[in-house]
Amino acid sequence: MISNYVLVPIFTAGGVYVVAQWLRPKPYPGIPSNPVTSVLGDLPTMVSETMKYGSVFEAGCFFPRSIQELGPVFQFFMGPVSKSIVVADLQEMEDILLRTRSKGLDNSDIQATAFQITVPYGSVALKTDDMWKQHRRVTAPLTATKHLVQMAPAIATNAKALMSYWTRKMEIVQQHGAVCFSCQNDFEMSTLDVIGELIAGRSLGMLAHAFTQIPTVKVDQYGGAIFEVTPTPLFASLRCLEASRKNVKELREIGQEVEAAKCMIDMVASKEGLPGEESLPEHELRDEIVSFLFVKLLTDHPDVQRKLNAELRGALEDLSEDRILTYADVNSPEKTPYLEATIAEILRRGPIAEATRRQTTEPMKVLGHDIPVGSNLIFLGPTAAAMTTKSNEPSLRNYDDLRSETSLKYGLQGKRLWDDDTTEFKPERWLVVDEKTGKQTFDPKAGGSMPFGMGQRSCPGKPLAMLELKMFIATLNLAFFLGPVPKELSKYDPVIQLTRFPAQAYIAPRPWTAED
């Protein structure tokens, strides 16, 4: 007779094995995946590579490696119940997000849940329902050309404020015997000041607050300085919403017209109560505002700085010290093609987001694979764009027999294939020579790039983000040459949270000299 001392361990081990098998991730049939060897799926590998490299998107890491080994459509697992399907073919992504299959997609539960805590009524946290559509209609005028032209002086003024702040910081850096400083928080403060102008018609005053403080300066062993300042409240600008609403109400009561809205709060307040106009409850407005929030600069490419500075000085008139740039100054591709190319290359090489998430609401076929309802799709836009190269064309064409009719019809929508140097920062890749004039022109279809997503739920703030980026890059380039920083402080390791940003962002700005 077998002793209980023997049976108990046997049955315990058997039970553990059965439970482990039951908990092990269950792949979708017919879709490639890495071998499932534990209940945690791919999670241990992804965590290990994130800790080692800062990301799972870098060359040789989890996602690029899986694309090479499994193909442009594969599934991965983060624990026993979380599984997602990756799509990493640019032509297929564009066809899914822009054409017939887009009707079978919605915001993913994973993304919605991630934003529910902070902005439960922001567009990023909503499904594509009536509320989401209402938010888009109410805020759409903010990114219209008419409003951007009105916003341009405020953005340019904030860029000038950042320029002054950097001049002051460099003076303090030299006093402390340092050679450069971290600018990462500077862009955050400046961006929030611009957002304040957009939302409430007034800057949040974050840069002004930092400028007046006596900062705590920490200098590391390489000569890099970090400034510590006390931040100002993020939601300070929202207090004027009720004041704006009250002002609109009083003007209407005495029969006066409400002036043209110059910010989101005024726009919302001026439309409230009018026939056929929509409004947002205050808690929804607050979350929509925060949803607007979003650089390693040009330090390592002095040649690009010089070309850009020469173009701007040749194209723009009256570059006196107190002049601020206008909307027309930075939105004239025929006059400043190199500025357009530089911005496009910054966004291609350092994308805001590495992936776009969607969830299927109806079955669909992707490159021959059956995708069931409720699947989480992850579109690796920047990775796929970087792989859309001339040398990779035979591999891309291997999937043509599996593509939809519309995908074959439209292809890459006129975009060319990149040369095999997509890891390099090279604005010139976006320039072509006009055969008639012999001049260089900016070509937006020079190759693949997907920095703001695509389709119905693509980033609604793209026009504003582009204007702000152009204005800041142009203003700072006219003011400063960004000198070299110690190599220990010039790494490109990324930090990826909701968006991507560099772990290090040190600069050494100085006025231009004849030697530059």
Side-chain angles (χ1 to χ4, degrees):
M1 182 176 179
I2 301 177
S3 168
N4 287 338
Y5 292 106
V6 176
L7 291 176
V8 170
I10 292 175
F11 280 108
T12 300
V16 169
Y17 175 79
V18 170
V19 171
Q21 292 298 311
W22 180 72
L23 289 175
R24 183 172 292 186
K26 307 299 187 295
Y28 291 118
I31 300 176
S33 68
N34 294 305
V36 180
T37 58
S38 78
V39 296
L40 297 177
D42 298 295
L43 188 58
T45 299
M46 298 177 74
V47 169
S48 173
E49 294 189 0
T50 299
M51 294 179 65
K52 185 175 181 180
Y53 304 109
S55 166
V56 288
F57 298 95
E58 304 308 297
C61 290
F62 179 78
F63 282 117
R65 185 176 66 249
S66 296
I67 294 169
Q68 293 291 340
E69 296 174 356
L70 303 174
V73 178
F74 64 91
Q75 57 187 317
F76 69 97
F77 313 95
M78 298 181 67
V81 295
S82 177
K83 55 186 175 184
S84 300
I85 299 172
V86 168
V87 181
D89 179 284
L90 188 63
Q91 183 173 330
E92 189 72 1
M93 279 191 287
E94 291 186 352
D95 191 64
I96 293 171
L97 293 170
L98 295 177
R99 302 187 185 97
T100 306
R101 283 178 287 180
S102 66
K103 297 177 181 177
L105 297 175
D106 203 343
N107 193 16
S108 76
D109 291 339
I110 294 174
Q111 176 164 297
T113 301
F115 285 97
Q116 279 292 328
I117 296 175
T118 53
V119 285
Y121 296 98
S123 291
V124 290
L126 297 175
K127 292 290 187 177
T128 313
D129 53 16
D130 291 340
M131 181 183 288
W132 180 88
K133 293 174 182 177
Q134 178 195 22
H135 284 212
R136 281 295 178 97
R137 288 193 296 269
V138 170
T139 59
L142 285 169
T143 55
T145 300
K146 178 181 178 181
H147 187 71
L148 293 177
V149 171
Q150 292 177 336
M151 280 297 302
I155 296 174
T157 299
N158 276 281
K160 282 279 191 180
L162 180 60
M163 182 187 78
S164 298
Y165 185 48
W166 278 6
T167 300
R168 174 63 180 144
K169 285 183 76 171
M170 208 58 202
E171 292 172 355
I172 297 174
V173 162
Q174 291 167 357
Q175 292 170 9
H176 283 76
V179 296
C180 59
F181 61 84
S182 173
C183 66
Q184 195 158 294
N185 291 336
D186 302 347
F187 283 104
E188 179 182 348
M189 290 189 293
S190 189
T191 297
L192 289 173
D193 281 346
V194 172
I195 295 299
E197 297 276 6
L198 171 72
I199 301 309
R202 67 187 71 171
S203 168
L204 293 182
M206 300 189 80
L207 271 182
H209 172 75
F211 197 92
T212 58
Q213 283 195 322
I214 300 175
T216 299
V217 181
K218 295 182 178 179
V219 180
D220 62 26
Q221 60 182 317
Y222 307 113
I226 295 179
F227 286 60
E228 295 181 355
V229 296
T230 305
T232 55
L234 172 60
F235 291 110
S237 67
L238 301 183
R239 295 171 186 160
C240 59
L241 173 58
E242 283 308 316
S244 184
R245 283 174 168 160
K246 182 180 178 181
N247 180 57
V248 169
K249 182 179 179 181
E250 290 174 350
L251 288 173
R252 286 180 182 159
E253 286 176 349
I254 61 176
Q256 290 189 17
E257 290 188 7
V258 180
E259 291 183 6
K262 293 179 177 148
C263 64
M264 177 188 279
I265 286 175
D266 284 352
M267 183 183 299
V268 172
S270 67
K271 290 185 176 184
E272 286 179 332
L274 296 181
E277 295 292 356
E278 298 177 284
S279 63
L280 300 181
E282 188 163 353
H283 61 285
E284 295 182 28
L285 175 62
R286 182 200 67 199
D287 291 341
E288 195 61 44
I289 287 169
V290 179
S291 298
F292 265 86
L293 302 181
F294 67 88
V295 243
K296 183 96 169 173
L297 276 179
L298 307 171
T299 297
D300 293 337
H301 298 87
D303 57 321
V304 174
Q305 294 187 63
R306 295 185 186 102
K307 291 178 183 178
L308 180 58
N309 187 267
E311 177 183 84
L312 291 171
R313 293 191 177 280
L316 305 180
E317 300 176 357
D318 180 27
L319 287 176
S320 56
E321 186 175 337
D322 59 347
R323 183 194 190 288
I324 62 172
L325 299 180
T326 67
Y327 179 87
D329 287 336
V330 296
N331 277 279
S332 303
E334 68 283 354
K335 293 170 60 177
T336 55
Y338 201 77
L339 174 63
E340 298 285 339
T342 301
I343 299 301
E345 186 69 352
I346 287 173
L347 291 172
R348 185 197 71 81
R349 192 66 186 87
I352 297 169
E354 291 283 2
T356 300
R357 283 187 177 272
R358 296 289 184 270
Q359 189 166 308
T360 55
T361 57
E362 58 186 46
M364 68 174 60
K365 193 175 284 289
V366 178
L367 291 182
H369 300 288
D370 292 314
I371 311 297
V373 174
S375 299
N376 285 305
L377 297 184
I378 297 182
F379 298 96
L380 299 183
T383 300
M387 297 176 69
T388 308
T389 62
K390 294 174 182 177
S391 66
N392 202 34
E393 183 175 14
S395 177
L396 298 173
R397 298 285 70 85
N398 284 340
Y399 297 98
D400 283 353
D401 290 342
L402 303 174
R403 299 187 189 279
S404 69
E405 185 177 330
T406 53
S407 177
L408 291 172
K409 177 181 178 181
Y410 293 101
L412 290 170
Q413 302 185 93
K415 291 186 287 293
R416 300 190 299 278
L417 299 175
W418 293 123
D419 291 331
D420 298 325
D421 56 356
T422 53
T423 59
E424 297 179 18
F425 179 79
K426 192 169 75 172
E428 288 77 10
R429 72 176 76 249
W430 295 91
L431 299 174
V432 294
V433 176
D434 187 306
E435 294 181 357
K436 295 181 180 180
T437 64
K439 296 181 178 180
Q440 285 191 325
T441 61
F442 172 66
D443 180 11
K445 293 190 175 183
S449 184
M450 196 175 164
F452 293 99
M454 194 172 286
Q456 185 181 30
R457 295 190 65 101
S458 61
C459 176
K462 176 183 176 180
L464 177 65
M466 290 294 290
L467 175 61
E468 187 176 351
L469 191 53
K470 290 178 185 179
M471 197 72 80
F472 272 76
I473 293 295
T475 298
L476 296 173
N477 177 262
L478 286 168
F480 300 117
F481 177 80
L482 300 177
V485 302
K487 65 178 186 304
E488 293 86 356
L489 301 178
S490 185
K491 298 177 182 178
Y492 282 80
D493 297 340
V495 175
I496 297 177
Q497 297 175 355
L498 295 178
T499 56
R500 172 192 177 115
F501 58 90
Q504 293 181 326
Y506 285 85
I507 56 171
R510 56 177 170 78
W512 286 88
T513 65
E515 289 73 25
D516 295 328

